[in-house]
Amino acid sequence: MPFVLKKYKAVKGKKIQQFLLDEAGLSLSISQKLLSKNRVFNDQGNTLKNGQILKGDYVQVAVFEGHTRGLKPLFEVEDFAVFDKPSGIMVHPTRKDTPYCLLDEIRHHFGDKADLAHRIDAETSGLVLVAKNKQASTVLKNLFENRECNKEYLALVKGQLKNNITIDKPISKSSGIIGIKMTCENQDGKASTTHIQPLKFNEQDNTTLVKAIPVTGRQHQIRVHLDSIGHTIVGDPIYGVDDQIADQCLKKTLTDEQRIELTGAKRLMLHANNLSFRYQDVEYDITSILKDPVFK
């Protein structure tokens, strides 16, 4: 379990934020973060809010403690590392009971100050850049925000794509029942650009292996852009299927066989294959070695 409850003897009459500083030994920023994320509780399990006066006997704090399942960095220097993430592993916990995610490995290998420089979807495999310290985290996150880190993906898409294409369509939240779904149908969405290059067509199953280079970094950008031109990524549980099927996929109520029949694969066939960027006057060009056989 990545989140564990640490128990402290309460000082009755003291404000919770001051208690976390004085008695739990936490920094101001961490204390504020824990309170804002509802990770501080009294001895009855009720959430404690900023400004509350302690009345119970104990204070419990849910803290993240990483553990390993054997995943090691693909590449590592003093300030950062790159993991080659398998499909099916979330990069960050979404709930207190999330059993395992990439952040477990990051904190296990590099400690509490290490963090993700960016994120990819759980079903997307491939490269994830990790900062080992706060200073590196700021620099690396700025690289992504300023579009100074080049990302290349491989995707297996439905149908034959013959020519290079640049998809230049705005992206916004979909109004359907799937809360995380995006759309290109709203012209008021955020400007988004993706370059697509076909690599190999498989006539037997009518799929095309493509290289996708996102210029911008919107949620589900490659997935929604490819779906918008009629070349949905094979195995996509959200795009290219109706919302009822998507809901079943997300709730994991479908068998692998049903998922394959409805989407073409039991996983999203999208792979973060290459990262290239400049850090402290050094050029880095890192390519994944962890590929599903279909991507080779």
Side-chain angles (χ1 to χ4, degrees):
M1 299 287 289
F3 283 101
V4 296
L5 281 175
K6 289 196 171 182
K7 193 174 182 181
Y8 302 90
K9 185 172 178 59
V11 178
K12 294 182 180 181
K14 199 165 195 173
K15 286 188 176 182
I16 180 57
Q17 62 268 39
Q18 197 62 45
F19 173 86
L20 293 175
L21 294 173
D22 297 342
E23 310 301 328
L26 301 175
S27 69
L28 178 61
S29 61
I30 292 177
S31 299
Q32 291 174 336
K33 181 178 179 181
L34 290 170
L35 288 167
S36 68
K37 290 184 175 291
N38 299 321
R39 293 179 185 167
V40 183
F41 313 91
N42 62 17
D43 44 9
Q44 303 301 313
N46 299 317
T47 303
L48 292 170
K49 300 291 187 181
N50 195 22
Q52 281 189 249
I53 303 297
L54 295 179
K55 298 178 181 179
D57 294 325
Y58 294 96
V59 172
Q60 301 178 93
V61 181
V63 294
F64 186 92
E65 290 192 351
H67 65 282
T68 185
R69 291 187 180 179
L71 185 61
K72 297 179 180 179
L74 171 69
F75 177 81
E76 181 181 351
V77 293
E78 183 178 358
D79 281 349
F80 67 83
V82 177
F83 282 86
D84 216 354
K85 184 186 79 70
S87 175
I89 297 176
M90 291 186 294
V91 296
H92 196 277
T94 56
R95 304 181 308 274
K96 286 191 295 183
D97 59 349
T98 299
Y100 175 74
C101 62
L102 184 61
L103 191 60
D104 277 291
E105 296 291 356
I106 294 168
R107 297 287 168 81
H108 170 79
H109 288 287
F110 307 123
D112 291 342
K113 293 183 179 180
D115 204 2
L116 298 152
H118 67 119
R119 299 185 184 191
I120 60 176
D121 296 332
E123 287 201 6
T124 302
S125 54
L127 302 182
V128 180
L129 184 60
V130 172
K132 291 186 180 181
N133 55 65
K134 297 297 183 183
Q135 183 177 358
S137 179
T138 299
V139 173
L140 293 173
K141 286 179 179 179
N142 283 337
L143 288 180
F144 284 93
E145 290 175 6
N146 297 330
R147 304 177 188 175
E148 295 172 350
C149 182
N150 299 311
K151 298 173 286 182
E152 290 185 3
Y153 290 76
L154 295 176
L156 188 69
V157 303
K158 297 177 181 179
Q160 184 176 16
L161 188 62
K162 294 181 178 181
N163 302 311
N164 293 354
I165 182 173
T166 294
I167 307 171
D168 220 343
K169 296 183 179 182
I171 293 177
S172 60
K173 283 279 189 182
S174 172
S175 59
I177 65 171
I178 306 300
I180 60 173
K181 190 173 183 177
M182 311 300 287
T183 181
C184 293
E185 295 177 359
N186 185 354
Q187 292 305 309
D188 295 328
K190 294 181 179 180
S192 308
T193 303
T194 308
H195 301 304
I196 304 295
Q197 176 188 347
L199 300 176
K200 183 180 181 181
F201 174 63
N202 187 328
E203 187 174 358
Q204 184 176 355
D205 61 8
N206 191 33
T207 60
T208 305
L209 179 65
V210 304
K211 179 191 293 185
I213 302 174
V215 178
T216 46
R218 312 302 181 198
Q219 181 176 333
H220 293 180
Q221 178 172 316
I222 297 172
R223 298 166 65 179
V224 68
H225 268 176
L226 283 166
D227 181 62
S228 75
I229 63 169
H231 292 285
T232 307
I233 298 177
V234 174
D236 199 315
I238 297 176
Y239 301 97
V241 296
D242 62 43
D243 283 354
Q244 287 71 29
I245 297 300
D247 187 55
Q248 289 178 293
C249 285
L250 293 173
K251 290 178 178 177
K252 301 187 184 302
T253 59
L254 298 176
T255 65
D256 285 349
E257 290 74 18
Q258 290 172 322
R259 169 85 182 263
I260 292 169
E261 182 180 353
L262 292 166
T263 70
K266 64 180 181 181
R267 59 154 289 194
L268 175 70
M269 300 307 295
L270 180 63
H271 182 75
N273 192 53
N274 182 271
L275 289 173
S276 58
F277 54 92
R278 185 178 183 85
Y279 182 83
Q280 293 186 346
D281 297 325
V282 178
E283 298 285 349
Y284 293 92
D285 191 330
I286 305 164
T287 299
S288 169
I289 60 172
L290 180 67
K291 297 183 181 70
D292 189 286
V294 75
F295 288 118
K296 293 181 179 179

